[in-house]
Amino acid sequence: MHTKKLFTLLLASLLPAWALADGQHSAATNGKPGNPAKVDRVIEVSMDDSMRFTPAQIEVKAGETIRFLLKNAGKMEHEMVLGQMAELNAHAEMMRRMPEMQHAEPNMAKLKSGQRGSIVWQFTRAGEFDFACTIPGHLEGGMVGKVSVK
């Protein structure tokens, strides 16, 4: 039991700022997982080894459900994670501490070289929101983007 408590405390200390008690992430401040059957628009996003997203600036309307069609055009693994920059930085720090960590959340997709994937997200309010690749070294290398919700 002592080992289990120690592990639980260690894990809790490593959780990023976006992890909340109810299992929801504060990415919910910019929206929520969208209904794949009710997508308003599809936006293609490419990720590559120059540590860039194309496009890196995206505009959407409040209330719109977007399907981000993602393509990893690089030779390295990349991911796209939607959120606020503070929570993306916290997630990147956690990834540096635990690079083999596997996770899957509705606001993210991790892709191997040549792989395609998608995120369906409904942006529920206006504002400026971020996305990044939080694989160690990628965010620091400039692999970030911005979603402007009007």
Side-chain angles (χ1 to χ4, degrees):
M1 184 68 160
H2 179 69
T3 304
K4 187 175 179 180
K5 279 185 176 179
L6 183 59
F7 178 76
T8 302
L9 288 172
L10 176 62
L11 183 59
S13 72
L14 296 175
L15 288 174
W18 50 261
L20 302 176
D22 65 359
Q24 295 297 312
H25 295 187
S26 68
T29 62
N30 68 10
K32 61 184 181 180
N35 180 342
K38 296 183 179 180
V39 170
D40 296 306
R41 191 158 48 113
V42 174
I43 298 175
E44 293 185 22
V45 178
S46 179
M47 304 177 280
D48 64 44
D49 296 343
S50 68
M51 302 299 156
R52 298 293 178 259
F53 289 99
T54 304
Q57 301 289 321
I58 298 170
E59 287 190 13
V60 302
K61 295 176 185 168
E64 222 175 1
T65 298
I66 303 296
R67 179 185 309 275
F68 293 99
L69 277 182
L70 308 172
K71 177 184 178 189
N72 182 350
K75 296 189 185 306
M76 296 184 273
E77 190 171 53
H78 294 291
E79 67 181 4
M80 180 177 176
V81 183
L82 297 166
Q84 297 288 347
M85 193 50 71
E87 57 202 29
L88 295 171
N89 283 323
H91 187 188
E93 176 59 30
M94 184 176 62
M95 294 289 289
R96 280 190 291 279
R97 290 186 204 156
M98 300 182 300
E100 300 303 316
M101 181 183 73
Q102 296 296 316
H103 54 280
E105 300 295 333
N107 65 319
M108 68 173 298
K110 185 181 240 181
L111 305 174
K112 295 183 185 313
S113 176
Q115 195 175 25
R116 294 178 182 268
S118 68
I119 298 171
V120 178
W121 198 257
Q122 183 180 26
F123 291 89
T124 56
R125 68 176 183 89
E128 296 289 318
F129 305 103
D130 303 292
F131 56 92
C133 179
T134 61
I135 293 173
H138 294 208
L139 184 144
E140 299 83 352
M143 198 162 183
V144 297
K146 188 156 296 287
V147 179
S148 296
V149 183
K150 306 291 180 191

